[in-house]
Amino acid sequence: NGKTLTTECGWGGIDLKNGASIVNGTIKHTGNTAAIKAFQASKIENVIINVTETAGKIKGGIVVQEGAGCYVGSIKNVTINGATNGIETYRCGDRTDLAIGSMENVTINAIDTGISLSAPIGEVKNCTIKGAKIGVNAYLYGPYSVTADFINCVIEGADADIYAHDEVGKTNPGSMTVTCDSVMALGLNVVSEIEAEAAGRVFIGIK
């Protein structure tokens, strides 16, 4: 109902489980780790997340937690300010299901990375994703696969708008497909650092 919830815990702000949702309000996160840790979350909608920076601490806005059964059904009309990583899928299992079903009208202003992906997500539409260093960080991590489809989005980062990479010197049997529409592709700074063993399983380009 438009109220503000302040979360201070050192282990994170809110755990979303068992199909829970967060709608219509503001979260002021002054604690550590993430403002929202999603395990089985239905939706996060019409929410502003303001994260207070603490030197030496990595803080997320929304983190889809480790495990093949962890997900957010949808993230819509959400603004995230001040997080180290705005949205992150954290070791989300050797999976084909979506860690994030869809994202729409999401605005991220992060102090490091806008979105960090190591799992499949659905369509990302009409979003503004900005990180002071990297806009979208897509990486192969062990058996995990990555898919993302960006439509009519703004993606910006000083070092890379999209940074695609794998774990150096490790076997990464997953695959990666990151696409954007043709209008978005104009002027995007895409940095790809993929080892030869993974090169045939990675596609970054225009859908």
Side-chain angles (χ1 to χ4, degrees), residues 15-53:
D15 284 356
L16 279 188
K17 299 181 177 181
N18 301 320
S21 298
I22 297 179
V23 298
N24 304 330
T26 298
I27 298 171
K28 180 182 178 183
H29 184 55
T30 62
N32 293 332
T33 64
I36 298 174
K37 293 181 177 181
F39 293 86
Q40 304 87 30
S42 177
K43 63 182 178 181
I44 301 170
E45 187 171 310
N46 300 325
V47 172
I48 298 171
I49 300 171
N50 293 320
V51 179
T52 301
E53 181 182 2

PDB file of all heavy atoms in Angstrom, residues 15-53:
ATOM      1  N   ASP A  15      13.263 -12.694   2.437  1.00  0.00           N
ATOM      2  CA  ASP A  15      13.252 -13.992   1.751  1.00  0.00           C
ATOM      3  C   ASP A  15      11.859 -14.229   1.175  1.00  0.00           C
ATOM      4  O   ASP A  15      10.879 -14.242   1.929  1.00  0.00           O
ATOM      5  CB  ASP A  15      13.577 -15.137   2.721  1.00  0.00           C
ATOM      6  CG  ASP A  15      15.049 -15.214   3.071  1.00  0.00           C
ATOM      7  OD1 ASP A  15      15.830 -14.425   2.512  1.00  0.00           O
ATOM      8  OD2 ASP A  15      15.412 -16.058   3.906  1.00  0.00           O
ATOM      9  N   LEU A  16      11.778 -14.399  -0.151  1.00  0.00           N
ATOM     10  CA  LEU A  16      10.495 -14.691  -0.792  1.00  0.00           C
ATOM     11  C   LEU A  16      10.418 -16.184  -1.074  1.00  0.00           C
ATOM     12  O   LEU A  16      11.210 -16.699  -1.871  1.00  0.00           O
ATOM     13  CB  LEU A  16      10.348 -13.912  -2.104  1.00  0.00           C
ATOM     14  CG  LEU A  16       9.910 -12.462  -2.015  1.00  0.00           C
ATOM     15  CD1 LEU A  16       9.620 -11.914  -3.411  1.00  0.00           C
ATOM     16  CD2 LEU A  16       8.698 -12.279  -1.134  1.00  0.00           C
ATOM     17  N   LYS A  17       9.452 -16.868  -0.448  1.00  0.00           N
ATOM     18  CA  LYS A  17       9.332 -18.321  -0.584  1.00  0.00           C
ATOM     19  C   LYS A  17       7.874 -18.703  -0.800  1.00  0.00           C
ATOM     20  O   LYS A  17       6.958 -17.915  -0.556  1.00  0.00           O
ATOM     21  CB  LYS A  17       9.865 -19.015   0.674  1.00  0.00           C
ATOM     22  CG  LYS A  17      11.329 -18.736   0.962  1.00  0.00           C
ATOM     23  CD  LYS A  17      11.795 -19.471   2.219  1.00  0.00           C
ATOM     24  CE  LYS A  17      13.281 -19.251   2.463  1.00  0.00           C
ATOM     25  NZ  LYS A  17      13.762 -19.974   3.670  1.00  0.00           N
ATOM     26  N   ASN A  18       7.684 -19.930  -1.265  1.00  0.00           N
ATOM     27  CA  ASN A  18       6.341 -20.536  -1.333  1.00  0.00           C
ATOM     28  C   ASN A  18       5.349 -19.701  -2.133  1.00  0.00           C
ATOM     29  O   ASN A  18       4.178 -19.594  -1.794  1.00  0.00           O
ATOM     30  CB  ASN A  18       5.801 -20.786   0.077  1.00  0.00           C
ATOM     31  CG  ASN A  18       6.710 -21.695   0.878  1.00  0.00           C
ATOM     32  OD1 ASN A  18       7.244 -22.665   0.355  1.00  0.00           O
ATOM     33  ND2 ASN A  18       6.918 -21.370   2.146  1.00  0.00           N
ATOM     34  N   GLY A  19       5.829 -19.076  -3.234  1.00  0.00           N
ATOM     35  CA  GLY A  19       4.939 -18.332  -4.119  1.00  0.00           C
ATOM     36  C   GLY A  19       4.564 -16.946  -3.646  1.00  0.00           C
ATOM     37  O   GLY A  19       3.619 -16.340  -4.157  1.00  0.00           O
ATOM     38  N   ALA A  20       5.293 -16.401  -2.694  1.00  0.00           N
ATOM     39  CA  ALA A  20       4.987 -15.067  -2.166  1.00  0.00           C
ATOM     40  C   ALA A  20       5.300 -13.977  -3.189  1.00  0.00           C
ATOM     41  O   ALA A  20       6.077 -14.186  -4.131  1.00  0.00           O
ATOM     42  CB  ALA A  20       5.776 -14.819  -0.887  1.00  0.00           C
ATOM     43  N   SER A  21       4.699 -12.801  -3.001  1.00  0.00           N
ATOM     44  CA  SER A  21       4.915 -11.647  -3.872  1.00  0.00           C
ATOM     45  C   SER A  21       5.186 -10.407  -3.026  1.00  0.00           C
ATOM     46  O   SER A  21       4.792 -10.333  -1.865  1.00  0.00           O
ATOM     47  CB  SER A  21       3.688 -11.380  -4.749  1.00  0.00           C
ATOM     48  OG  SER A  21       3.412 -12.456  -5.606  1.00  0.00           O
ATOM     49  N   ILE A  22       5.844  -9.438  -3.649  1.00  0.00           N
ATOM     50  CA  ILE A  22       5.976  -8.108  -3.067  1.00  0.00           C
ATOM     51  C   ILE A  22       5.434  -7.122  -4.086  1.00  0.00           C
ATOM     52  O   ILE A  22       5.887  -7.100  -5.233  1.00  0.00           O
ATOM     53  CB  ILE A  22       7.430  -7.758  -2.731  1.00  0.00           C
ATOM     54  CG1 ILE A  22       7.984  -8.709  -1.654  1.00  0.00           C
ATOM     55  CG2 ILE A  22       7.542  -6.320  -2.237  1.00  0.00           C
ATOM     56  CD1 ILE A  22       9.430  -8.438  -1.296  1.00  0.00           C
ATOM     57  N   VAL A  23       4.454  -6.299  -3.679  1.00  0.00           N
ATOM     58  CA  VAL A  23       3.843  -5.340  -4.599  1.00  0.00           C
ATOM     59  C   VAL A  23       3.599  -4.004  -3.888  1.00  0.00           C
ATOM     60  O   VAL A  23       3.364  -3.963  -2.681  1.00  0.00           O
ATOM     61  CB  VAL A  23       2.506  -5.873  -5.177  1.00  0.00           C
ATOM     62  CG1 VAL A  23       2.722  -7.141  -5.995  1.00  0.00           C
ATOM     63  CG2 VAL A  23       1.499  -6.136  -4.081  1.00  0.00           C
ATOM     64  N   ASN A  24       3.703  -2.917  -4.695  1.00  0.00           N
ATOM     65  CA  ASN A  24       3.211  -1.598  -4.292  1.00  0.00           C
ATOM     66  C   ASN A  24       3.867  -1.043  -3.038  1.00  0.00           C
ATOM     67  O   ASN A  24       3.242  -0.902  -1.981  1.00  0.00           O
ATOM     68  CB  ASN A  24       1.684  -1.630  -4.097  1.00  0.00           C
ATOM     69  CG  ASN A  24       0.955  -2.103  -5.327  1.00  0.00           C
ATOM     70  OD1 ASN A  24       1.419  -1.894  -6.446  1.00  0.00           O
ATOM     71  ND2 ASN A  24      -0.169  -2.770  -5.127  1.00  0.00           N
ATOM     72  N   GLY A  25       5.149  -0.707  -3.125  1.00  0.00           N
ATOM     73  CA  GLY A  25       5.805  -0.080  -1.995  1.00  0.00           C
ATOM     74  C   GLY A  25       7.264   0.165  -2.254  1.00  0.00           C
ATOM     75  O   GLY A  25       7.767  -0.007  -3.371  1.00  0.00           O
ATOM     76  N   THR A  26       7.971   0.582  -1.211  1.00  0.00           N
ATOM     77  CA  THR A  26       9.404   0.884  -1.281  1.00  0.00           C
ATOM     78  C   THR A  26      10.148   0.053  -0.256  1.00  0.00           C
ATOM     79  O   THR A  26       9.684  -0.102   0.876  1.00  0.00           O
ATOM     80  CB  THR A  26       9.658   2.383  -1.020  1.00  0.00           C
ATOM     81  OG1 THR A  26       9.005   3.149  -2.030  1.00  0.00           O
ATOM     82  CG2 THR A  26      11.144   2.704  -1.033  1.00  0.00           C
ATOM     83  N   ILE A  27      11.296  -0.470  -0.650  1.00  0.00           N
ATOM     84  CA  ILE A  27      12.184  -1.163   0.265  1.00  0.00           C
ATOM     85  C   ILE A  27      13.454  -0.345   0.389  1.00  0.00           C
ATOM     86  O   ILE A  27      14.115  -0.035  -0.599  1.00  0.00           O
ATOM     87  CB  ILE A  27      12.521  -2.578  -0.238  1.00  0.00           C
ATOM     88  CG1 ILE A  27      11.248  -3.428  -0.319  1.00  0.00           C
ATOM     89  CG2 ILE A  27      13.544  -3.245   0.687  1.00  0.00           C
ATOM     90  CD1 ILE A  27      11.467  -4.754  -1.013  1.00  0.00           C
ATOM     91  N   LYS A  28      13.784   0.010   1.618  1.00  0.00           N
ATOM     92  CA  LYS A  28      15.033   0.701   1.911  1.00  0.00           C
ATOM     93  C   LYS A  28      15.942  -0.314   2.583  1.00  0.00           C
ATOM     94  O   LYS A  28      15.707  -0.716   3.734  1.00  0.00           O
ATOM     95  CB  LYS A  28      14.785   1.900   2.823  1.00  0.00           C
ATOM     96  CG  LYS A  28      16.041   2.674   3.177  1.00  0.00           C
ATOM     97  CD  LYS A  28      15.721   3.828   4.121  1.00  0.00           C
ATOM     98  CE  LYS A  28      16.992   4.569   4.523  1.00  0.00           C
ATOM     99  NZ  LYS A  28      16.688   5.662   5.496  1.00  0.00           N
ATOM    100  N   HIS A  29      16.967  -0.754   1.852  1.00  0.00           N
ATOM    101  CA  HIS A  29      17.828  -1.834   2.358  1.00  0.00           C
ATOM    102  C   HIS A  29      19.151  -1.265   2.835  1.00  0.00           C
ATOM    103  O   HIS A  29      19.955  -0.783   2.044  1.00  0.00           O
ATOM    104  CB  HIS A  29      18.059  -2.879   1.272  1.00  0.00           C
ATOM    105  CG  HIS A  29      18.851  -4.058   1.740  1.00  0.00           C
ATOM    106  ND1 HIS A  29      18.491  -4.809   2.830  1.00  0.00           N
ATOM    107  CD2 HIS A  29      20.013  -4.590   1.281  1.00  0.00           C
ATOM    108  CE1 HIS A  29      19.375  -5.774   3.017  1.00  0.00           C
ATOM    109  NE2 HIS A  29      20.317  -5.659   2.102  1.00  0.00           N
ATOM    110  N   THR A  30      19.380  -1.349   4.137  1.00  0.00           N
ATOM    111  CA  THR A  30      20.635  -0.870   4.718  1.00  0.00           C
ATOM    112  C   THR A  30      21.500  -2.023   5.208  1.00  0.00           C
ATOM    113  O   THR A  30      22.631  -1.800   5.624  1.00  0.00           O
ATOM    114  CB  THR A  30      20.364   0.090   5.895  1.00  0.00           C
ATOM    115  OG1 THR A  30      19.660  -0.610   6.924  1.00  0.00           O
ATOM    116  CG2 THR A  30      19.533   1.278   5.439  1.00  0.00           C
ATOM    117  N   GLY A  31      20.968  -3.252   5.175  1.00  0.00           N
ATOM    118  CA  GLY A  31      21.724  -4.418   5.614  1.00  0.00           C
ATOM    119  C   GLY A  31      22.659  -4.927   4.527  1.00  0.00           C
ATOM    120  O   GLY A  31      22.949  -4.233   3.555  1.00  0.00           O
ATOM    121  N   ASN A  32      23.119  -6.165   4.693  1.00  0.00           N
ATOM    122  CA  ASN A  32      24.074  -6.745   3.754  1.00  0.00           C
ATOM    123  C   ASN A  32      23.392  -7.685   2.770  1.00  0.00           C
ATOM    124  O   ASN A  32      22.187  -7.852   2.779  1.00  0.00           O
ATOM    125  CB  ASN A  32      25.179  -7.483   4.520  1.00  0.00           C
ATOM    126  CG  ASN A  32      26.043  -6.534   5.321  1.00  0.00           C
ATOM    127  OD1 ASN A  32      26.200  -5.372   4.965  1.00  0.00           O
ATOM    128  ND2 ASN A  32      26.600  -7.025   6.416  1.00  0.00           N
ATOM    129  N   THR A  33      24.179  -8.319   1.944  1.00  0.00           N
ATOM    130  CA  THR A  33      23.783  -9.232   0.856  1.00  0.00           C
ATOM    131  C   THR A  33      22.713  -8.586  -0.012  1.00  0.00           C
ATOM    132  O   THR A  33      23.013  -7.628  -0.695  1.00  0.00           O
ATOM    133  CB  THR A  33      23.399 -10.637   1.374  1.00  0.00           C
ATOM    134  OG1 THR A  33      22.251 -10.579   2.195  1.00  0.00           O
ATOM    135  CG2 THR A  33      24.541 -11.252   2.151  1.00  0.00           C
ATOM    136  N   ALA A  34      21.470  -9.046  -0.008  1.00  0.00           N
ATOM    137  CA  ALA A  34      20.480  -8.542  -0.974  1.00  0.00           C
ATOM    138  C   ALA A  34      19.232  -8.014  -0.282  1.00  0.00           C
ATOM    139  O   ALA A  34      18.831  -8.504   0.774  1.00  0.00           O
ATOM    140  CB  ALA A  34      20.084  -9.652  -1.936  1.00  0.00           C
ATOM    141  N   ALA A  35      18.606  -7.021  -0.918  1.00  0.00           N
ATOM    142  CA  ALA A  35      17.339  -6.518  -0.398  1.00  0.00           C
ATOM    143  C   ALA A  35      16.262  -7.599  -0.467  1.00  0.00           C
ATOM    144  O   ALA A  35      15.484  -7.780   0.470  1.00  0.00           O
ATOM    145  CB  ALA A  35      16.902  -5.285  -1.185  1.00  0.00           C
ATOM    146  N   ILE A  36      16.215  -8.332  -1.592  1.00  0.00           N
ATOM    147  CA  ILE A  36      15.255  -9.431  -1.760  1.00  0.00           C
ATOM    148  C   ILE A  36      16.015 -10.670  -2.207  1.00  0.00           C
ATOM    149  O   ILE A  36      16.727 -10.644  -3.204  1.00  0.00           O
ATOM    150  CB  ILE A  36      14.176  -9.091  -2.804  1.00  0.00           C
ATOM    151  CG1 ILE A  36      13.354  -7.878  -2.365  1.00  0.00           C
ATOM    152  CG2 ILE A  36      13.257 -10.296  -3.039  1.00  0.00           C
ATOM    153  CD1 ILE A  36      12.368  -7.399  -3.414  1.00  0.00           C
ATOM    154  N   LYS A  37      15.850 -11.769  -1.470  1.00  0.00           N
ATOM    155  CA  LYS A  37      16.354 -13.074  -1.877  1.00  0.00           C
ATOM    156  C   LYS A  37      15.160 -13.911  -2.314  1.00  0.00           C
ATOM    157  O   LYS A  37      14.277 -14.217  -1.511  1.00  0.00           O
ATOM    158  CB  LYS A  37      17.089 -13.763  -0.726  1.00  0.00           C
ATOM    159  CG  LYS A  37      18.382 -13.086  -0.311  1.00  0.00           C
ATOM    160  CD  LYS A  37      19.036 -13.873   0.822  1.00  0.00           C
ATOM    161  CE  LYS A  37      20.367 -13.280   1.223  1.00  0.00           C
ATOM    162  NZ  LYS A  37      21.003 -14.060   2.317  1.00  0.00           N
ATOM    163  N   ALA A  38      15.126 -14.253  -3.597  1.00  0.00           N
ATOM    164  CA  ALA A  38      13.993 -14.991  -4.146  1.00  0.00           C
ATOM    165  C   ALA A  38      14.304 -16.478  -4.181  1.00  0.00           C
ATOM    166  O   ALA A  38      15.319 -16.893  -4.749  1.00  0.00           O
ATOM    167  CB  ALA A  38      13.665 -14.486  -5.545  1.00  0.00           C
ATOM    168  N   PHE A  39      13.451 -17.261  -3.586  1.00  0.00           N
ATOM    169  CA  PHE A  39      13.546 -18.718  -3.635  1.00  0.00           C
ATOM    170  C   PHE A  39      12.450 -19.256  -4.557  1.00  0.00           C
ATOM    171  O   PHE A  39      12.731 -19.807  -5.601  1.00  0.00           O
ATOM    172  CB  PHE A  39      13.451 -19.300  -2.224  1.00  0.00           C
ATOM    173  CG  PHE A  39      14.623 -18.945  -1.360  1.00  0.00           C
ATOM    174  CD1 PHE A  39      14.650 -17.756  -0.656  1.00  0.00           C
ATOM    175  CD2 PHE A  39      15.715 -19.791  -1.267  1.00  0.00           C
ATOM    176  CE1 PHE A  39      15.737 -17.422   0.144  1.00  0.00           C
ATOM    177  CE2 PHE A  39      16.810 -19.467  -0.485  1.00  0.00           C
ATOM    178  CZ  PHE A  39      16.816 -18.276   0.225  1.00  0.00           C
ATOM    179  N   GLN A  40      11.195 -19.074  -4.183  1.00  0.00           N
ATOM    180  CA  GLN A  40      10.058 -19.354  -5.062  1.00  0.00           C
ATOM    181  C   GLN A  40       9.132 -18.149  -4.943  1.00  0.00           C
ATOM    182  O   GLN A  40       8.287 -18.091  -4.050  1.00  0.00           O
ATOM    183  CB  GLN A  40       9.322 -20.648  -4.679  1.00  0.00           C
ATOM    184  CG  GLN A  40      10.199 -21.890  -4.639  1.00  0.00           C
ATOM    185  CD  GLN A  40      10.860 -22.076  -3.286  1.00  0.00           C
ATOM    186  OE1 GLN A  40      10.335 -21.685  -2.261  1.00  0.00           O
ATOM    187  NE2 GLN A  40      12.038 -22.672  -3.292  1.00  0.00           N
ATOM    188  N   ALA A  41       9.322 -17.175  -5.829  1.00  0.00           N
ATOM    189  CA  ALA A  41       8.594 -15.907  -5.752  1.00  0.00           C
ATOM    190  C   ALA A  41       7.654 -15.776  -6.934  1.00  0.00           C
ATOM    191  O   ALA A  41       8.045 -16.002  -8.075  1.00  0.00           O
ATOM    192  CB  ALA A  41       9.571 -14.742  -5.735  1.00  0.00           C
ATOM    193  N   SER A  42       6.421 -15.394  -6.662  1.00  0.00           N
ATOM    194  CA  SER A  42       5.446 -15.223  -7.730  1.00  0.00           C
ATOM    195  C   SER A  42       5.747 -13.973  -8.551  1.00  0.00           C
ATOM    196  O   SER A  42       5.949 -14.044  -9.756  1.00  0.00           O
ATOM    197  CB  SER A  42       4.027 -15.152  -7.148  1.00  0.00           C
ATOM    198  OG  SER A  42       3.078 -14.926  -8.183  1.00  0.00           O
ATOM    199  N   LYS A  43       5.786 -12.799  -7.883  1.00  0.00           N
ATOM    200  CA  LYS A  43       6.066 -11.571  -8.623  1.00  0.00           C
ATOM    201  C   LYS A  43       6.608 -10.492  -7.684  1.00  0.00           C
ATOM    202  O   LYS A  43       6.347 -10.486  -6.472  1.00  0.00           O
ATOM    203  CB  LYS A  43       4.819 -11.060  -9.342  1.00  0.00           C
ATOM    204  CG  LYS A  43       3.670 -10.661  -8.429  1.00  0.00           C
ATOM    205  CD  LYS A  43       2.468 -10.215  -9.244  1.00  0.00           C
ATOM    206  CE  LYS A  43       1.290  -9.854  -8.333  1.00  0.00           C
ATOM    207  NZ  LYS A  43       0.102  -9.430  -9.108  1.00  0.00           N
ATOM    208  N   ILE A  44       7.358  -9.582  -8.290  1.00  0.00           N
ATOM    209  CA  ILE A  44       7.803  -8.352  -7.636  1.00  0.00           C
ATOM    210  C   ILE A  44       7.345  -7.234  -8.562  1.00  0.00           C
ATOM    211  O   ILE A  44       7.801  -7.148  -9.703  1.00  0.00           O
ATOM    212  CB  ILE A  44       9.325  -8.342  -7.440  1.00  0.00           C
ATOM    213  CG1 ILE A  44       9.764  -9.546  -6.588  1.00  0.00           C
ATOM    214  CG2 ILE A  44       9.772  -7.043  -6.781  1.00  0.00           C
ATOM    215  CD1 ILE A  44      11.263  -9.745  -6.546  1.00  0.00           C
ATOM    216  N   GLU A  45       6.431  -6.401  -8.086  1.00  0.00           N
ATOM    217  CA  GLU A  45       5.748  -5.478  -8.997  1.00  0.00           C
ATOM    218  C   GLU A  45       5.451  -4.154  -8.306  1.00  0.00           C
ATOM    219  O   GLU A  45       5.042  -4.112  -7.149  1.00  0.00           O
ATOM    220  CB  GLU A  45       4.445  -6.125  -9.469  1.00  0.00           C
ATOM    221  CG  GLU A  45       3.715  -5.369 -10.550  1.00  0.00           C
ATOM    222  CD  GLU A  45       2.558  -6.170 -11.128  1.00  0.00           C
ATOM    223  OE1 GLU A  45       2.776  -7.340 -11.501  1.00  0.00           O
ATOM    224  OE2 GLU A  45       1.444  -5.627 -11.194  1.00  0.00           O
ATOM    225  N   ASN A  46       5.672  -3.058  -9.063  1.00  0.00           N
ATOM    226  CA  ASN A  46       5.413  -1.702  -8.556  1.00  0.00           C
ATOM    227  C   ASN A  46       6.184  -1.453  -7.257  1.00  0.00           C
ATOM    228  O   ASN A  46       5.629  -1.023  -6.238  1.00  0.00           O
ATOM    229  CB  ASN A  46       3.910  -1.469  -8.343  1.00  0.00           C
ATOM    230  CG  ASN A  46       3.111  -1.629  -9.613  1.00  0.00           C
ATOM    231  OD1 ASN A  46       3.572  -1.289 -10.704  1.00  0.00           O
ATOM    232  ND2 ASN A  46       1.911  -2.160  -9.496  1.00  0.00           N
ATOM    233  N   VAL A  47       7.474  -1.726  -7.302  1.00  0.00           N
ATOM    234  CA  VAL A  47       8.326  -1.630  -6.119  1.00  0.00           C
ATOM    235  C   VAL A  47       9.563  -0.795  -6.432  1.00  0.00           C
ATOM    236  O   VAL A  47      10.158  -0.935  -7.504  1.00  0.00           O
ATOM    237  CB  VAL A  47       8.747  -3.034  -5.627  1.00  0.00           C
ATOM    238  CG1 VAL A  47       9.783  -2.942  -4.511  1.00  0.00           C
ATOM    239  CG2 VAL A  47       7.532  -3.826  -5.148  1.00  0.00           C
ATOM    240  N   ILE A  48       9.951   0.066  -5.500  1.00  0.00           N
ATOM    241  CA  ILE A  48      11.217   0.794  -5.550  1.00  0.00           C
ATOM    242  C   ILE A  48      12.136   0.186  -4.505  1.00  0.00           C
ATOM    243  O   ILE A  48      11.748   0.019  -3.344  1.00  0.00           O
ATOM    244  CB  ILE A  48      11.016   2.294  -5.274  1.00  0.00           C
ATOM    245  CG1 ILE A  48      10.123   2.922  -6.351  1.00  0.00           C
ATOM    246  CG2 ILE A  48      12.365   3.016  -5.217  1.00  0.00           C
ATOM    247  CD1 ILE A  48       9.705   4.345  -6.034  1.00  0.00           C
ATOM    248  N   ILE A  49      13.354  -0.160  -4.916  1.00  0.00           N
ATOM    249  CA  ILE A  49      14.348  -0.728  -4.003  1.00  0.00           C
ATOM    250  C   ILE A  49      15.532   0.221  -3.943  1.00  0.00           C
ATOM    251  O   ILE A  49      16.220   0.441  -4.945  1.00  0.00           O
ATOM    252  CB  ILE A  49      14.809  -2.115  -4.479  1.00  0.00           C
ATOM    253  CG1 ILE A  49      13.627  -3.081  -4.562  1.00  0.00           C
ATOM    254  CG2 ILE A  49      15.885  -2.675  -3.540  1.00  0.00           C
ATOM    255  CD1 ILE A  49      13.956  -4.406  -5.227  1.00  0.00           C
ATOM    256  N   ASN A  50      15.766   0.811  -2.780  1.00  0.00           N
ATOM    257  CA  ASN A  50      16.884   1.708  -2.565  1.00  0.00           C
ATOM    258  C   ASN A  50      17.878   1.030  -1.628  1.00  0.00           C
ATOM    259  O   ASN A  50      17.559   0.733  -0.476  1.00  0.00           O
ATOM    260  CB  ASN A  50      16.424   3.032  -1.964  1.00  0.00           C
ATOM    261  CG  ASN A  50      15.560   3.834  -2.928  1.00  0.00           C
ATOM    262  OD1 ASN A  50      15.837   3.888  -4.121  1.00  0.00           O
ATOM    263  ND2 ASN A  50      14.504   4.449  -2.426  1.00  0.00           N
ATOM    264  N   VAL A  51      19.072   0.763  -2.147  1.00  0.00           N
ATOM    265  CA  VAL A  51      20.109   0.066  -1.385  1.00  0.00           C
ATOM    266  C   VAL A  51      21.157   1.078  -0.936  1.00  0.00           C
ATOM    267  O   VAL A  51      21.667   1.858  -1.744  1.00  0.00           O
ATOM    268  CB  VAL A  51      20.765  -1.046  -2.226  1.00  0.00           C
ATOM    269  CG1 VAL A  51      21.852  -1.752  -1.425  1.00  0.00           C
ATOM    270  CG2 VAL A  51      19.711  -2.052  -2.690  1.00  0.00           C
ATOM    271  N   THR A  52      21.473   1.054   0.362  1.00  0.00           N
ATOM    272  CA  THR A  52      22.491   1.944   0.902  1.00  0.00           C
ATOM    273  C   THR A  52      23.853   1.283   0.792  1.00  0.00           C
ATOM    274  O   THR A  52      24.067   0.183   1.301  1.00  0.00           O
ATOM    275  CB  THR A  52      22.203   2.273   2.379  1.00  0.00           C
ATOM    276  OG1 THR A  52      20.920   2.899   2.476  1.00  0.00           O
ATOM    277  CG2 THR A  52      23.261   3.208   2.946  1.00  0.00           C
ATOM    278  N   GLU A  53      24.775   1.943   0.117  1.00  0.00           N
ATOM    279  CA  GLU A  53      26.108   1.382  -0.092  1.00  0.00           C
ATOM    280  C   GLU A  53      26.892   1.343   1.213  1.00  0.00           C
ATOM    281  O   GLU A  53      26.823   2.262   2.032  1.00  0.00           O
ATOM    282  CB  GLU A  53      26.871   2.217  -1.120  1.00  0.00           C
ATOM    283  CG  GLU A  53      28.274   1.695  -1.413  1.00  0.00           C
ATOM    284  CD  GLU A  53      29.013   2.570  -2.394  1.00  0.00           C
ATOM    285  OE1 GLU A  53      28.482   3.599  -2.833  1.00  0.00           O
ATOM    286  OE2 GLU A  53      30.175   2.222  -2.714  1.00  0.00           O
TER     287      GLU A  53
END
